[in-house]
Amino acid sequence: MKERDQVRRDTLRLALSALHYEEVASGAPLGADALEQLLRKQARSRRESIEAFAKAGREELVARERAELAVIEGYLPAQLDRDAIRSAADRAIAQSGATGPADQGKVMRAVMGELRGKADGKLVAEVVSEQLARRAG
């Protein structure tokens, strides 16, 4: 607040409000894992808003949501890059014996089990889909 960073202040207030709401709903303080999950949910919400606002041509709102997303991501562990996800997907494909896109669910379960909290599920799904398409064709 002393820095007069309104975006950071407002974003943290919203996150603290969501945290308080979850604590009241559960009746107990949240642990570190639950807090991280809450922040990931907040980040996912911002990403979805960015997509929607971009489609509607609302660039000022896109910029605001991106700034809020950057604040939230500052409190989350670093996410894996596409190459690391591709390596995990290749291992899961080899272990499961997947041969094509029909096996995506089986591969996704294995990959997300390994990468939960380390990579965005949407990006993982894209990479798995690409790798299975390569194998099939």
Side-chain angles (χ1 to χ4, degrees):
M1 284 190 217
K2 289 180 182 179
E3 295 175 11
R4 304 223 187 269
D5 186 347
Q6 289 181 341
V7 172
R8 179 176 289 281
R9 182 196 65 205
D10 294 346
T11 303
L12 291 177
R13 282 182 177 168
L14 287 171
L16 285 172
S17 174
L19 171 66
H20 179 70
Y21 178 80
E22 289 295 322
E23 285 178 338
V24 168
S26 69
L30 295 181
D33 290 339
L35 177 59
E36 184 177 328
Q37 186 177 12
L38 178 78
L39 288 173
R40 288 197 187 289
K41 185 177 179 182
Q42 293 283 315
R44 186 178 334 113
S45 172
R46 297 308 189 288
R47 284 187 202 100
E48 290 168 358
S49 295
I50 289 169
E51 248 178 62
F53 291 143
K55 286 180 184 175
R58 302 290 309 267
E59 292 304 316
E60 70 282 357
L61 295 175
V62 169
R64 173 85 180 180
E65 293 291 322
R66 281 191 178 138
E68 289 179 5
L69 179 61
V71 170
I72 292 169
E73 286 179 339
Y75 291 94
L76 288 169
Q79 297 286 291
L80 295 175
D81 64 351
R82 199 173 189 89
D83 291 333
I85 296 169
R86 189 174 298 117
S87 296
D90 287 340
R91 284 193 304 276
I93 289 169
Q95 288 174 352
S96 67
T99 57
D103 297 322
Q104 183 161 353
K106 182 171 30 172
V107 175
M108 281 298 293
R109 274 190 294 283
V111 174
M112 287 309 292
E114 179 183 340
L115 303 182
R116 184 159 319 279
K118 298 176 187 174
D120 180 49
K122 204 180 250 189
L123 179 59
V124 172
E126 282 178 27
V127 171
V128 166
S129 180
E130 289 170 4
Q131 296 303 96
L132 288 172
R134 273 196 199 121
R135 301 240 179 201

